[in-house]
Amino acid sequence: MNNSKDYDNKMNEKSEFADFSEEKFKLILEGLEKRISNKLENIEKKVDEISDQIYIKDFSSIDDASEKEVELETQLRYANETLHQYRSTLDQVYQSTSWKITAPVRLLGAKTRKLKKFLQLFNQLRKKHSLIFLLKKSFQVLSQDGLQGFINQLKQQNAIQAAQSGVPDSSSFLQEPAFIHRDKQGKFSLNSTPNSYVYIEPERNELIDAKMAGLKKKPLFSIVVPLYNTTQELLDGVITSVEGQWYSNWELVLVDDCSPDPATRKALEKITNPQIKIFYSEVNQGISGATNIGLQKASGDFIVFMDHDDEITADCLYELALCIERDDPDFVYSDEDKLTEDGSYIDPHFKPDWSPDTMMSTMFTGHVSCVRSALLEKVGMLRPEFNGCQDWDFVLRVSEITKKISHIPKVLYHWRIIPGSTAANIAAKSYVLEASQNARKDALKRRGKRGSVEAVEQVPGYFRVNYHLEGSPKFSIIIPSRDNFSVLRKCVESIFDKTEYKDYEIILVDNGSRDKSTLDYIESLKGNPRISVVSHDIPFNYSELNNVGVKKSQGDILVFLNDDVEILQGDWLNRMGGYAQLSHIGAVGAKLLYPGETLVQHSGVINLENGPAHALIRCERNQPGYYMRNLIEYNYFAVTGACLMIERDKYCSVGGFEERLPVAYNDVDLCAKLLKSGFYNVVCQGVRLIHHESLSRGHDAIDPVKQNRLKKDLRLFYSLNPEFYQYDPFHNLNFQSNSVNFALGY
Amino acid sequence: MKIQKSDLFLKEIAHFELISFDFFDTLFFRNTLDPEDVFFYIGEKFNIRNFPKIRKEAQTKAFQKMHVEGKKEINIFGIYEFVDVDGVDSSVLMQEEYDFEKKILLPNPEIFNIFIELIKEGKKVVITSDMYFPRAFFQEVLENFGVKEVPIFSSAEMNATKRDSGEIFALVSKHMGVEPKKILHIGDNETADVKRPRQKGLSAYHYKFEPPVAFDKKKVSIATSLAAGMLLQHAGHEQLDVSETLGFVYGGPANVGFLDWVKAQAHKDGIDKVLFLSRDGFSVEQIAHVYYQEELPDFLYFYGSRTAFALAAITEENFVQNIPFLLSGADGLNPSEVLERIGVEPLSAEAMEDIGLGASVRVNKANYQTMYEFLYACRWRILRVCQRNRKLLFRYMNAIGVKDGSRIAIVDVGWSGTTQEALEKVIHDWFDVEVFGYYFCLANTPERLQRERKLHMRALVNAKNAGPEKIDFIYENRVTIEQFFSAPHNTVIGYERFDNNTITPLLDAGRGVHDQNADIGRNLQNGIKHFADFYFEFVRQHQVRLSPEAMAASMTDLISSPHARWLDKVKNFDAWGSSVNHQLGAKDY
């Protein structure tokens, strides 16, 4: 027993030593942190420089579809990609700071490691057994097996302890962060240079085989590939990637679209695999016509669309089969990346789950694209008049027939970039641009919606839909305010000055203003027939103030507006209202800029690991962002309550703002409730407003009281919406879990 | 001759005119391995702690008196003349023993069916038994099973025994008017039922029930004896294999006892939700599900594990600090297995080869640095799994109704509270709850003691009631013991999905695991379940039950017996440390 006490005393001494060291480390850590932040500042400066270089050009004056524009767009696209890579790298560096900060701890550990070695095994055993037991056991072994036996037993125990719980001494490892790289030859390596994306083929194992064997549905996939002057090499790429599928129930349907190049037919004639069906078109029908032949000949339960120069990953059909088993979808799409001429995988597109409005902005579903064969009867075939965007047109039509659309957040498709291919340049051909607009115009027509397809000024080749207001709805703009005279006046006056649509009212909810200038201003507004002032003098509760405002309002469409928002454009109500009136839309947000109008304050709310956050915050306003997220209309998890538009009926159907969330997350909660009711939220990038919020804000992080309140509110938010804890259907789990810039988690 | 089919046996005995049956352990089985356990139960019922001793001494005295009086057998009345207990009339105790014995007897179908068949055929049958009970006892028991008017030769009544000289067989022959050679006696005791009747000119058949596992009544606790006795009764109905038998005899009492203890603790601690943790809370929950639906607070079998909870707590911020956990117990594993065991899809074999961590590499101290770098480089892949676990665990907790103010008990077999600690690391981020860990046994380790200072941890078998040596002994055999509580499904390492209000756990079969692990697990469970059925019927009938501590002793019985070796067949039971490269048995942990 005495021995045991001695041991415990030693343990205490050890921990005291540890405490003392921590104190010492603090100083070292502070120094390190300073050095790291200096380094980061330099990198940030570099990123800003690059971004200035890229967006200095004004593309709005260039004619649509001109060759020059195509060239510029290509350059822009690559430049944007480079910028994104830099941003991802920066995020990686940020990531590694936590790791670097622990460096001194690791260094000290290395020095003391040798000293610890002798005690290590004993301590491990001591953790698991009592001292008496250990002594007895030792004595037993010694008397039975002698000294050598005892040593052998110790060695064996050492091995077993290591195999079970021998936590390696973390302090001596990882002097540098590590990243996996893949060189041009496809060779992998570990090194400390940050990188943002590397594609690594998945490995088939027993678990995967078991999952495959356990599938109740084993659908036949028909992979349909139209061919035109396809080279032997490209064809081999297609066939090898299909033959390499883990999931075996497939047929490959190749349709030669009357290729003039005899090499294509020659290559096809060499194929012997009975799972590959080859068809020859008598005449050249173009991509839609050739694909349609394949669709007609396909006998599979599901069609997988594939281009003749692309490759699917080995787990592609396996993942599709799992998804079909799980969700029973009619249409499935996955993430994808691009395969360069030199064999590198770049520019992955990690997509959101089904987003109807994003689909009207960009052909985001892309590849791999898989549709239930039976659906073709209702949807019809590909339409040649949309060639170039025939797949986009197809998906738009599919989404009108079914809601069962699934997304697999995993790269299952490599889109090869070769000169002249659309992967390199969405605007490579003018007919493509036309088709992209026509596909959407036709969708509007089919859907009975009025709207126009407008060019996105910053990036040629992109268009947004501007939905026109239906009827003449009345808007109620609800502004809670307290003692905020100067910004409030700016807000109200900008509404009056700018707003073109005239049927609106302003409900000013005064939260007990005391300040004379504010009170005078409110008094002065009272004569204005468009303004109703509601006094509600309660401890600040944003939700309650807004809910009270709604009760006093009469409009069909509600606009919740912070008193520090300034209207910049006349058509803001029309544009946002057009979206708000769509039956599938819940909340509509706008792009909010910081004062100075160059940096983004709000471009959508994403629900990250640490909680909801503003996407692309402080990003330059004209930067495209990840896959144009900063410039075109995307569906988002939520929009900020600083400017949130919603139809009254929809607001009522979800019970308005949650008053148990008085300060934070009430807007996000409203949006979450809308999502749960089946609505989509959207950020209308076509509307830009100023949010007079301080750029240097961050007091919540400093004030512990506020911080605690935020934490409590966040907890309540997730307890009200557990389905959205650690989950944002409009984000993608392949991004870094707390990155507002869509930095890749690779 | 071994009785396999009663038809065949009937044919073979057709030429005998009279068939004599031994009663105890032939025609009927008691539900205790040791007949003297009955004294223990009576003592429990009347709260007479030393009753077994009193009763045994009384029997000795009765024998002494018998010899003095020149008699050849004792009877129950003679025994109870020497039972003197304060406050309880000895006739009351005698009646209790009489009634108790009657109730714990069940026909052994193997012999009983033949017995009935012979009666139906009109064959002469008798009961011949050495026992201190009167004829009426046997009549009453037989009548309970629909048998009337069978001649009964009880030694107590006849003043003649089988065991001493076989005198009673002569009386059977005489009273029944059948020549000895035309009589066949069937019984289990080699002397009394085989040797003696043959000496008296009868034919004898040595019936011996041979369970797949034999138990020594002198080496087991009261709980194991009860279970082994019940097993004999059960065996007549359904043949159990070795794993089922071990589950029945050893696992059954331990699980039921543990559950009884959990029930009492839960009431004491004001628990409103009991989570029987996978996998080691499985069999206890199964029993609770059938028998304690009303008596326990809201409860469920909860999918979770140290791995699942620990992963759920790993975030971008604390990833580096958690690398040692990810690498713990990885020595000897293939580098890819370090990812597989946490549910991260492995990278291509080519990539692993290129970075120097191919299939031929084993994790060891020499390559920790590369492993650290590798895990760091894979952090986003790993974090995705962690985030999924966190997301689904939160939803799962919400769905089962955990909320602020909840008092939750987690039930696990043992040993140091690591799983509880891992759970508490995440759960307090979400809810203001009190968590209590209920364990079968807590180990005698500083690790456990340290945790106990911060966490509410309680154990059925603890240093106070078992002493440190016993705890060490149990802990040393923990992997064997765990198998008696564990679910017949693979280890939970995380969560796959949550839909329709149902969680789908992510299971890990482990690497280098044989299919027989699952079979053994299933059969152990089956045995445990059967025991519970018998035990709760026993409790209902006799209104007496063993204390949780007494029931728990069956586990000590197991690990002290050679039967524990049977579980050595199970390899790589712990998925975390399992590998295609090694085979760890129960003793290796």
Side-chain angles (χ1 to χ4, degrees):
Chain A
M1 290 308 284
N2 283 337
N3 283 343
S4 165
K5 267 186 185 168
D6 284 343
Y7 174 77
D8 288 340
N9 285 339
K10 272 179 193 160
M11 290 291 282
N12 288 336
E13 280 167 27
K14 224 176 112 189
S15 66
E16 278 168 26
F17 171 71
D19 287 341
F20 168 74
S21 308
E22 248 173 56
E23 282 302 311
K24 259 190 139 182
F25 287 156
K26 271 186 188 167
L27 291 171
I28 308 169
L29 290 181
E30 277 170 19
L32 254 178
E33 274 185 282
K34 254 187 193 165
R35 277 167 54 195
I36 291 165
S37 64
N38 285 343
K39 223 174 179 179
L40 286 175
E41 259 176 40
N42 289 338
I43 298 175
E44 277 182 320
K45 262 187 198 163
K46 198 150 197 172
V47 169
D48 287 345
E49 277 169 24
I50 295 169
S51 91
D52 285 349
Q53 283 165 18
I54 293 170
Y55 297 103
I56 207 152
K57 298 183 181 77
D58 180 8
F59 290 97
S60 58
S61 60
I62 302 168
D63 289 346
D64 276 356
S66 71
E67 283 302 311
K68 198 175 161 195
E69 174 202 292
V70 167
E71 186 53 40
L72 276 172
E73 199 278 336
T74 308
Q75 279 176 20
L76 173 68
R77 192 172 167 73
Y78 277 110
N80 185 40
E81 197 186 295
T82 315
L83 179 69
H84 187 259
Q85 300 274 357
Y86 264 96
R87 286 207 173 273
S88 288
T89 304
L90 185 62
D91 280 7
Q92 295 277 13
V93 175
Y94 272 120
Q95 285 317 308
S96 64
T97 53
S98 65
W99 173 93
K100 281 192 171 173
I101 282 165
T102 60
V105 188
R106 280 178 264 123
L107 192 71
L108 186 94
K111 286 180 182 167
T112 53
R113 197 153 62 104
K114 281 189 178 173
L115 286 170
K116 285 180 188 168
K117 206 178 170 187
F118 292 110
L119 273 174
Q120 213 170 36
L121 173 65
F122 179 77
N123 284 349
Q124 276 169 13
L125 289 170
R126 180 69 182 87
K127 273 182 195 165
K128 295 170 73 180
H129 305 283
S130 74
L131 197 66
I132 298 169
F133 171 81
L134 288 177
L135 291 175
K136 269 172 93 175
K137 191 89 186 175
S138 306
F139 180 72
Q140 201 184 329
V141 177
L142 270 169
S143 56
Q144 277 173 13
D145 308 322
L147 186 63
Q148 193 52 47
F150 181 71
I151 292 167
N152 289 344
Q153 183 72 23
L154 266 182
K155 278 183 181 167
Q156 193 192 331
Q157 275 301 321
N158 193 23
I160 290 169
Q161 292 309 314
Q164 286 166 11
S165 61
V167 180
D169 191 341
S170 62
S171 49
S172 54
F173 301 105
L174 263 188
Q175 294 304 318
E176 291 287 343
F179 302 88
I180 299 177
H181 287 254
R182 182 180 193 147
D183 67 16
K184 307 277 184 212
Q185 285 71 46
K187 187 127 176 105
F188 295 90
S189 61
L190 267 180
N191 70 54
S192 61
T193 315
N195 68 343
S196 63
Y197 179 67
V198 56
Y199 180 77
I200 306 173
E201 286 77 3
E203 180 73 10
R204 187 173 176 169
N205 63 9
E206 279 177 20
L207 186 70
I208 287 162
D209 287 342
K211 272 191 178 177
M212 218 143 35
L215 286 172
K216 289 189 195 87
K217 296 173 200 160
K218 291 193 173 66
L220 172 66
F221 290 102
S222 296
I223 304 152
V224 176
V225 185
L227 308 174
Y228 186 74
N229 284 350
T230 311
T231 62
Q232 177 78 57
E233 199 188 348
L234 288 177
L235 188 62
D236 285 347
V238 168
I239 292 173
T240 308
S241 82
V242 173
E243 286 181 334
Q245 289 299 302
W246 297 346
Y247 182 86
S248 57
N249 197 20
W250 54 262
E251 61 171 13
L252 175 58
V253 183
L254 301 174
V255 184
D256 179 30
D257 193 17
C258 201
S259 300
D261 185 349
T264 303
R265 186 176 275 261
K266 217 171 151 190
L268 287 171
E269 281 166 356
K270 284 187 211 156
I271 295 169
T272 54
N273 188 335
Q275 280 180 277
I276 303 176
K277 294 177 180 173
I278 305 159
F279 300 94
Y280 297 94
S281 175
E282 298 285 318
V283 288
N284 180 268
Q285 301 197 30
I287 189 159
S288 291
T291 308
N292 286 343
I293 293 174
L295 296 181
Q296 280 153 2
K297 301 289 183 188
S299 51
D301 306 296
F302 283 85
I303 305 287
V304 175
F305 295 96
M306 184 173 176
D307 289 342
H308 71 155
D309 47 358
D310 297 342
E311 290 179 8
I312 52 177
T313 62
D315 54 345
C316 179
L317 298 184
Y318 160 75
E319 289 289 348
L320 286 172
L322 286 186
C323 174
I324 288 162
E325 174 103 343
R326 192 178 60 231
D327 302 345
D328 192 33
D330 288 327
F331 178 68
V332 190
Y333 63 96
S334 76
D335 296 342
E336 63 192 302
D337 64 11
K338 293 179 186 70
L339 179 52
T340 62
E341 275 186 287
D342 65 4
S344 305
Y345 297 99
I346 61 156
D347 195 18
H349 189 181
F350 294 119
K351 307 163 185 178
D353 285 353
W354 176 247
S355 305
D357 301 288
T358 309
M359 199 66 212
M360 287 295 274
S361 303
T362 177
M363 171 42 177
F364 81 96
T365 57
H367 288 291
V368 71
S369 169
C370 170
V371 67
R372 188 186 292 277
S373 304
L375 207 73
L376 291 176
E377 278 178 32
K378 289 186 198 161
V379 180
M381 297 279 143
L382 299 187
R383 303 196 292 181
E385 58 270 38
F386 296 96
N387 269 356
C389 286
Q390 74 290 340
D391 47 356
W392 194 346
D393 167 64
F394 181 76
V395 176
L396 285 170
R397 286 187 285 130
V398 163
S399 69
E400 290 158 19
I401 303 286
T402 181
K403 297 281 168 242
K404 287 159 77 178
I405 300 175
S406 290
H407 163 224
I408 302 171
K410 200 171 185 185
V411 169
L412 301 180
Y413 196 94
H414 304 304
W415 184 359
R416 194 184 302 272
I417 315 179
I418 46 175
S421 103
T422 38
N425 181 355
I426 196 175
K429 290 162 190 161
S430 58
Y431 77 88
V432 176
L433 295 183
E434 212 175 312
S436 91
Q437 295 171 73
N438 289 341
R440 284 173 277 183
K441 284 178 186 162
D442 202 56
L444 289 174
K445 209 165 118 191
R446 279 197 308 277
R447 297 170 186 184
K449 302 287 171 208
R450 291 189 311 117
S452 47
V453 178
E454 302 171 349
V456 173
E457 58 173 339
Q458 298 90 337
V459 183
Y462 281 92
F463 301 84
R464 69 161 51 89
V465 177
N466 177 13
Y467 289 97
H468 298 164
L469 274 179
E470 299 287 342
S472 44
K474 185 184 183 76
F475 289 83
S476 296
I477 304 166
I478 293 150
I479 309 172
S481 186
R482 178 193 162 109
D483 289 338
N484 217 3
F485 162 64
S486 59
V487 288
L488 175 66
R489 187 176 66 179
K490 207 177 240 177
C491 172
V492 172
E493 284 178 2
S494 71
I495 295 171
F496 287 141
D497 292 349
K498 302 276 184 180
T499 311
E500 288 160 6
Y501 188 83
K502 293 304 173 199
D503 192 6
Y504 67 86
E505 61 172 357
I506 295 175
I507 312 289
L508 180 61
V509 187
D510 178 28
N511 187 204
S513 292
R514 303 281 186 275
D515 165 58
K516 190 174 178 303
S517 50
T518 307
L519 291 171
D520 289 348
Y521 180 64
I522 290 172
E523 198 53 40
S524 73
L525 292 173
K526 281 185 178 163
N528 190 324
R530 283 186 189 278
I531 295 194
S532 309
V533 177
V534 182
S535 287
H536 199 64
D537 190 0
I538 52 156
F540 181 70
N541 185 324
Y542 176 82
S543 298
E544 189 178 325
L545 294 172
N546 276 323
N547 288 343
V548 165
V550 173
K551 278 184 198 141
K552 301 284 178 189
S553 73
Q554 290 170 354
D556 311 296
I557 300 176
L558 310 169
V559 185
F560 299 99
L561 200 68
N562 279 12
D563 62 0
D564 55 354
V565 169
E566 185 184 342
I567 308 304
L568 293 177
Q569 59 196 82
D571 59 357
W572 73 292
L573 283 185
N574 306 58
R575 284 181 177 272
M576 291 177 76
Y579 273 104
Q581 284 182 322
L582 298 176
S583 60
H584 70 274
I585 287 292
V588 186
K591 180 182 222 162
L592 303 187
L593 303 174
Y594 280 110
E597 297 179 43
T598 52
L599 297 182
V600 169
Q601 194 271 335
H602 171 262
S603 195
V605 173
I606 45 179
N607 184 25
L608 298 176
E609 181 178 276
N610 288 348
H614 281 204
L616 302 170
I617 191 160
R618 292 164 208 230
C619 168
E620 202 277 336
R621 75 173 207 185
N622 287 329
Q623 273 181 26
Y626 187 74
Y627 279 86
M628 294 289 288
R629 276 179 174 267
N630 198 32
L631 295 180
I632 56 174
E633 278 64 12
Y634 261 74
N635 291 110
Y636 267 95
F637 179 75
V639 303
T640 177
C643 175
L644 185 155
M645 184 184 284
I646 181 173
E647 280 192 314
R648 177 185 288 274
D649 291 349
K650 294 166 185 168
Y651 162 91
C652 292
S653 75
V654 297
F657 284 101
E658 171 55 68
E659 294 179 6
R660 281 176 292 171
L661 290 167
V663 182
Y665 309 115
N666 30 44
D667 46 0
V668 189
D669 174 73
L670 180 76
C671 291
K673 286 192 284 193
L674 289 164
L675 292 179
K676 286 191 274 188
S677 300
F679 295 109
Y680 289 87
N681 303 314
V682 68
V683 174
C684 182
Q685 293 281 356
V687 173
R688 288 197 302 264
L689 314 171
I690 298 177
H691 191 186
H692 286 275
E693 199 182 48
S694 168
L695 253 174
S696 59
R697 219 180 102 147
H699 5 273
D700 281 3
I702 296 159
D703 182 346
V705 179
K706 283 185 180 171
Q707 215 175 8
N708 273 341
R709 188 200 62 215
L710 267 180
K711 212 172 148 188
K712 211 176 123 239
D713 286 356
L714 187 60
R715 219 158 109 155
L716 177 60
F717 166 69
Y718 285 123
S719 81
L720 295 169
N721 304 285
E723 48 278 85
F724 292 124
Y725 179 71
Q726 305 288 317
Y727 173 57
D728 179 346
F730 304 97
H731 199 239
N732 186 304
L733 49 82
N734 292 293
F735 296 125
Q736 293 180 21
S737 46
N738 278 315
S739 166
V740 293
N741 292 318
F742 304 90
L744 307 181
Y746 263 84
Chain B
M1 186 170 71
K2 188 169 180 355
I3 304 169
Q4 290 294 346
K5 290 186 175 131
S6 57
D7 283 352
L8 186 71
F9 187 69
L10 282 169
K11 211 172 155 191
E12 284 184 34
I13 63 177
H15 63 278
F16 291 103
E17 197 178 325
L18 172 70
I19 318 293
S20 158
F21 288 87
D22 170 41
F23 193 81
F24 292 98
D25 300 331
T26 302
L27 200 55
F28 279 80
F29 280 137
R30 285 187 185 89
N31 66 7
T32 63
L33 192 61
D34 186 348
E36 291 184 350
D37 287 352
V38 170
F39 312 152
F40 172 85
Y41 294 111
I42 294 168
E44 286 287 295
K45 197 163 176 181
F46 288 89
N47 205 16
I48 312 164
R49 286 287 147 206
N50 57 348
F51 186 72
K53 189 167 170 267
I54 295 169
R55 171 62 179 76
K56 279 185 223 170
E57 281 171 3
Q59 189 158 331
T60 309
K61 284 174 189 162
F63 268 115
Q64 286 163 352
K65 190 182 173 198
M66 177 193 86
H67 286 302
V68 171
E69 291 177 351
K71 288 186 181 167
K72 292 165 186 166
E73 181 62 300
I74 55 168
N75 62 38
I76 190 80
F77 305 102
I79 296 168
Y80 272 86
E81 273 177 30
F82 295 102
V83 171
D84 186 16
V85 179
D86 280 348
V88 189
D89 196 300
S90 65
S91 65
V92 172
L93 295 170
M94 184 182 76
Q95 191 60 43
E96 180 63 31
E97 182 178 335
Y98 187 92
D99 293 342
F100 200 97
E101 281 275 12
K102 251 180 19 187
K103 283 191 213 160
I104 61 172
L105 285 164
L106 273 182
N108 167 16
E110 197 175 14
I111 297 298
F112 195 75
N113 291 345
I114 293 167
F115 177 69
I116 296 294
E117 199 55 38
L118 291 172
I119 293 171
K120 270 194 207 158
E121 282 176 13
K123 180 77 88 184
K124 283 182 190 166
V125 292
V126 296
I127 304 286
T128 310
S129 173
D130 277 357
M131 187 57 182
Y132 40 74
F133 283 132
R135 180 179 292 127
F137 174 86
F138 298 93
Q139 276 170 347
E140 286 164 25
V141 173
L142 285 169
E143 275 175 24
N144 282 344
F145 295 95
V147 180
K148 285 179 184 165
E149 292 168 8
V150 170
I152 289 155
F153 295 86
S154 157
S155 62
E157 201 116 335
M158 306 297 292
N159 193 31
T161 64
K162 296 191 284 185
R163 63 183 180 267
D164 298 316
S165 65
E167 189 186 351
I168 198 167
F169 291 112
L171 295 174
V172 170
S173 168
K174 189 181 157 197
H175 282 275
M176 297 302 294
V178 179
E179 285 180 66
K181 64 177 180 185
K182 290 186 178 168
I183 304 174
L184 171 70
H185 177 73
I186 302 171
D188 70 307
N189 187 292
E190 202 171 348
T191 307
D193 294 315
V194 183
K195 220 166 146 187
R196 299 287 179 249
R198 283 184 185 156
Q199 282 169 352
K200 292 288 174 188
L202 281 75
S203 289
Y205 170 71
H206 190 188
Y207 168 71
K208 207 160 178 180
F209 173 69
E210 284 169 355
V213 183
F215 300 93
D216 184 347
K217 68 180 180 186
K218 296 295 167 207
K219 289 185 180 166
V220 297
S221 66
I222 186 94
T224 309
S225 167
L226 176 70
M230 286 175 169
L231 176 79
L232 287 180
Q233 294 186 332
H234 182 275
H237 301 278
E238 195 184 335
Q239 191 75 32
L240 301 182
D241 76 0
V242 176
S243 303
E244 285 172 317
T245 302
L246 298 181
F248 191 106
V249 175
Y250 295 117
N255 273 279
V256 173
F258 186 31
L259 179 59
D260 280 342
W261 177 82
V262 166
K263 190 180 80 173
Q265 285 297 323
H267 287 294
K268 213 163 110 188
D269 291 328
I271 299 297
D272 45 37
K273 197 164 288 290
V274 181
L275 310 183
F276 291 94
L277 277 191
S278 65
R279 292 184 291 175
D280 296 342
F282 180 83
S283 47
V284 185
E285 196 275 341
Q286 292 269 298
I287 300 165
H289 199 73
V290 179
Y291 291 102
Y292 284 164
Q293 208 54 263
E294 304 297 322
E295 299 173 54
L296 275 171
D298 188 24
F299 69 89
L300 75 152
Y301 180 59
F302 190 83
Y303 290 102
S305 65
R306 180 179 88 119
T307 310
F309 301 149
L311 291 176
I314 299 178
T315 62
E316 199 184 325
E317 284 87 10
N318 63 25
F319 182 81
V320 173
Q321 291 94 302
N322 276 290
I323 295 182
F325 160 70
L326 299 173
L327 212 43
S328 64
D331 277 30
L333 270 62
N334 289 344
S336 271
E337 290 180 326
V338 176
L339 295 184
E340 285 178 46
R341 67 181 182 165
I342 54 171
V344 173
E345 287 179 11
L347 315 185
S348 70
E350 293 76 19
M352 296 301 284
E353 283 294 338
D354 286 352
I355 58 178
L357 295 172
S360 60
V361 175
R362 304 281 175 274
V363 176
N364 61 54
K365 284 195 174 64
N367 55 30
Y368 279 168
Q369 175 136 0
T370 316
M371 282 306 294
Y372 261 77
E373 288 169 1
F374 170 65
L375 289 174
Y376 185 80
C378 290
R379 69 196 181 289
W380 292 113
R381 289 166 191 270
I382 296 168
L383 283 168
R384 277 196 275 284
V385 169
C386 297
Q387 191 179 22
R388 186 185 66 209
N389 287 339
R390 187 160 59 257
K391 169 177 88 171
L392 297 178
L393 178 59
F394 179 72
R395 293 201 62 185
Y396 188 20
M397 288 270 179
N398 271 279
I400 64 165
V402 174
K403 52 182 190 292
D404 285 350
S406 292
R407 292 172 72 83
I408 300 162
I410 57 165
V411 179
D412 198 356
V413 65
W415 306 93
S416 298
T418 44
T419 307
Q420 183 179 349
E421 188 179 56
L423 174 67
E424 295 210 37
K425 257 187 194 165
V426 282
I427 197 171
H428 297 301
D429 276 350
W430 305 329
F431 310 102
D432 287 323
V433 290
E434 288 270 348
V435 178
F436 295 78
Y438 291 166
Y439 301 94
F440 179 75
C441 177
L442 281 170
N444 222 358
T445 59
E447 190 188 345
R448 190 265 300 175
L449 288 170
Q450 207 172 6
R451 263 188 210 113
E452 221 168 32
R453 281 180 217 135
K454 312 176 281 187
L455 312 177
H456 304 298
M457 292 163 67
R458 324 224 189 285
L460 164 56
V461 183
N462 54 57
K464 272 185 201 153
N465 65 17
E469 287 190 28
K470 199 164 175 188
I471 299 285
D472 285 343
F473 181 48
I474 289 174
Y475 184 56
E476 197 187 350
N477 289 282
R478 64 193 178 283
V479 175
T480 302
I481 291 172
E482 280 169 10
Q483 294 178 54
F484 285 81
F485 292 85
S486 192
H489 62 68
N490 292 328
T491 305
V492 174
I493 57 166
Y495 306 97
E496 231 178 333
R497 48 200 302 230
F498 182 90
D499 33 29
N500 303 322
N501 232 20
T502 308
I503 192 85
T504 306
L506 181 66
L507 303 176
D508 181 18
R511 288 137 294 281
V513 177
H514 300 298
D515 285 347
Q516 66 171 5
N517 279 15
D519 292 341
I520 291 177
R522 248 189 308 278
N523 291 346
L524 286 174
Q525 288 308 319
N526 203 19
I528 291 166
K529 193 176 147 289
H530 282 309
F531 169 81
D533 294 342
F534 271 69
Y535 179 75
F536 284 104
E537 178 57 21
F538 168 82
V539 171
R540 192 188 63 76
Q541 276 198 11
H542 302 290
Q543 296 302 308
V544 61
R545 65 197 310 153
L546 292 172
S547 71
E549 291 78 10
M551 296 285 266
S554 67
M555 274 297 121
T556 326
D557 289 343
L558 165 79
I559 54 178
S560 313
S561 95
H563 294 152
R565 302 309 303 263
W566 174 258
L567 281 316
D568 289 352
K569 286 170 183 250
V570 176
K571 297 292 179 196
N572 288 345
F573 177 69
D574 172 31
W576 182 253
S578 70
S579 170
V580 291
N581 305 322
H582 55 230
Q583 293 278 300
L584 294 179
K587 285 279 168 194
D588 298 323
Y589 291 94

